[in-house]
Amino acid sequence: MSLIEKVVRKVLVNASSILKLFERPLINKYGRNPIHQPVFIIGAPRTGSTALYQSVTERFRVTYFDNLMDYLNRNPILGTLLSNFFFGESGHSSFESELGRTFKSGLHSPSECGAFWYRWLPRDRHYIVAEEVSEESKMKLKEEIIAISNLRKQPLVFKNLNAGQRLSLIYELFPNSKVIFIRREPLFTVQSIVKAKQKLNIPLDQFWSIKPKNFEKLEKLTWAKQIVGQVFYLEKQIEEDIKLFDNHLIVRYEDFINDSESITRKVGKFIFDEEIVERKCRATPKIRARNQIKLSNEMIEEIEKELSCYYAD
């Protein structure tokens, strides 16, 4: 994060309570009776969720947290108004990211905006159940999400992988919400996590990214056991909790890479139910990250050994 970005964020954090005075009337007006149900793209890290998120938000007239709104994560209603003022219904034309971050692609690029969720939820762990969150926090979280969507009269699409470990909370707030679970061949998911750690100069046996509920046990294991276990238990939790929702869709990364056009359209039909609403001007997605072996034979063998234990069935 650059010095300018740090300063801007600090100023906005300090001003958030004042901005909330202007925001509250809008929340009161728009934060009830949702027109559309929110949409959540979830999965394990490095499974193509960002690429799918970018493709969906570029093609369809949906609302999403862009990087401008990320700056105003404490005042997302005002962020929505500003984003709409500057960008309207234009696409973002952003199909690049650095480990899920898109700031280099501009203020309208899709953001995961984890800071929005951390206003209500803990930072030190990702798996939580609805009972762990106060009723006041639930109410405020719910009304802000509804207000953002109702202001734009569009479905609000989130790509936040933490949400995959919080589906019981999401179900309590939005039982009719729509959940898209993207999966990738485990070998390549694990390999991609290894490559991400190497890029960030993080030791392979140091935990990185989304934590399943048993992460404290996994932290004590060798790097291969830990990463394979991370992917396995994250997806296992999603498999269990996604059954809560009548509206859920499973997307395979390999299908998306091979035919992003048809998979994106399938997701669009899922989001809109009836007639898909597409942007008039949109860019064509550039999907490049195909499954290829990029680690040494020794590392691949170690990963495959652990995969055979976790995925024995």
Side-chain angles (χ1 to χ4, degrees):
M1 187 183 296
S2 68
L3 178 60
I4 294 176
E5 185 179 342
K6 289 180 180 178
V7 171
V8 170
R9 287 185 180 278
K10 187 173 183 179
V11 168
L12 291 173
V13 167
N14 292 334
S16 62
S17 58
I18 297 175
L19 295 176
K20 187 63 73 177
L21 297 176
F22 297 93
E23 199 175 44
R24 174 44 61 181
L26 293 172
I27 294 175
N28 292 339
K29 180 178 180 180
Y30 292 100
R32 307 285 186 275
N33 304 316
I35 300 171
H36 299 279
Q37 292 297 317
V39 180
F40 297 89
I41 298 174
I42 60 171
R46 314 305 299 155
T47 53
S49 56
T50 299
L52 179 63
Y53 183 37
Q54 291 170 322
S55 183
V56 168
T57 52
E58 173 69 12
R59 178 162 182 170
F60 306 115
R61 292 185 62 180
V62 295
T63 295
Y64 61 93
F65 272 80
D66 61 15
N67 288 321
L68 175 57
M69 291 173 66
D70 182 82
Y71 277 108
L72 285 155
N73 62 78
R74 289 175 177 264
N75 304 98
I77 314 305
L78 295 180
T80 301
L81 293 174
L82 281 175
S83 180
N84 189 52
F85 175 79
F86 285 114
F87 305 114
E89 293 301 333
S90 64
H92 51 73
S93 302
S94 169
F95 304 107
E96 303 291 337
S97 69
E98 292 186 3
L99 302 179
R101 290 177 58 83
T102 62
F103 277 101
K104 291 185 178 180
S105 298
L107 289 176
H108 197 38
S109 298
S111 169
E112 188 158 346
C113 200
F116 170 77
W117 296 94
Y118 289 137
R119 291 169 55 205
W120 327 106
L121 308 176
R123 287 179 175 269
D124 61 333
R125 55 198 168 89
H126 298 140
Y127 175 79
I128 58 171
V129 294
E131 292 75 20
E132 296 180 75
V133 183
S134 71
E135 293 303 317
E136 180 182 8
S137 292
K138 291 176 186 175
M139 179 193 70
K140 290 182 177 180
L141 173 58
K142 182 175 182 178
E143 66 182 7
E144 287 197 10
I145 290 175
I146 293 173
I148 294 168
S149 180
N150 282 355
L151 264 172
R152 298 297 304 277
K153 298 180 180 179
Q154 295 173 347
L156 174 57
V157 178
F158 289 100
K159 176 259 172 174
N160 188 280
L161 300 187
N162 295 0
Q165 305 304 299
R166 297 164 176 171
L167 290 178
S168 72
L169 171 63
I170 292 171
Y171 180 76
E172 182 173 315
L173 299 180
F174 299 100
N176 296 314
S177 59
K178 301 183 178 184
V179 181
I180 302 166
F181 178 17
I182 183 167
R183 310 194 68 166
R184 186 179 188 180
E185 185 66 34
L187 171 63
F188 295 101
T189 303
V190 172
Q191 174 182 253
S192 191
I193 292 175
V194 170
K195 297 294 290 183
K197 287 186 178 184
Q198 292 174 336
K199 184 174 183 178
L200 296 170
N201 293 316
I202 295 173
L204 291 185
D205 60 354
Q206 179 178 318
F207 216 93
W208 174 78
S209 193
I210 312 302
K211 301 174 181 178
K213 63 182 177 182
N214 64 339
F215 76 94
E216 291 179 335
K217 292 182 179 179
L218 294 176
E219 285 180 319
K220 301 173 184 177
L221 303 179
T222 62
W223 70 268
K225 289 180 182 291
Q226 180 193 113
I227 300 174
V228 172
Q230 176 187 13
V231 174
F232 176 82
Y233 286 110
L234 287 173
E235 295 191 334
K236 181 181 179 182
Q237 191 67 56
I238 294 173
E239 288 173 357
E240 293 176 3
D241 294 343
I242 204 172
K243 296 173 185 176
L244 293 167
F245 300 86
D246 292 332
N247 299 314
H248 65 266
L249 176 68
I250 298 177
V251 173
R252 291 184 68 255
Y253 172 83
E254 289 76 15
D255 293 338
F256 176 61
I257 291 299
N258 290 332
D259 191 352
S260 61
E261 165 69 23
S262 65
I263 295 301
T264 302
R265 184 166 181 80
K266 180 179 180 180
V267 171
K269 289 181 178 179
F270 174 72
I271 291 173
F272 287 99
D273 285 329
E274 299 175 359
E275 183 178 355
I276 295 177
V277 184
E278 299 186 338
R279 299 190 191 280
K280 292 181 179 179
C281 299
R282 61 180 189 269
T284 301
K286 301 173 184 177
I287 311 297
R288 301 191 182 97
R290 298 184 180 278
N291 289 343
Q292 295 178 339
I293 296 294
K294 297 181 179 180
L295 298 177
S296 66
N297 291 337
E298 292 78 8
M299 294 184 77
I300 291 297
E301 287 176 4
E302 195 163 352
I303 292 170
E304 289 179 332
K305 176 184 175 182
E306 299 306 329
L307 286 170
S308 68
C309 296
Y310 279 100
Y311 295 86
D313 295 335

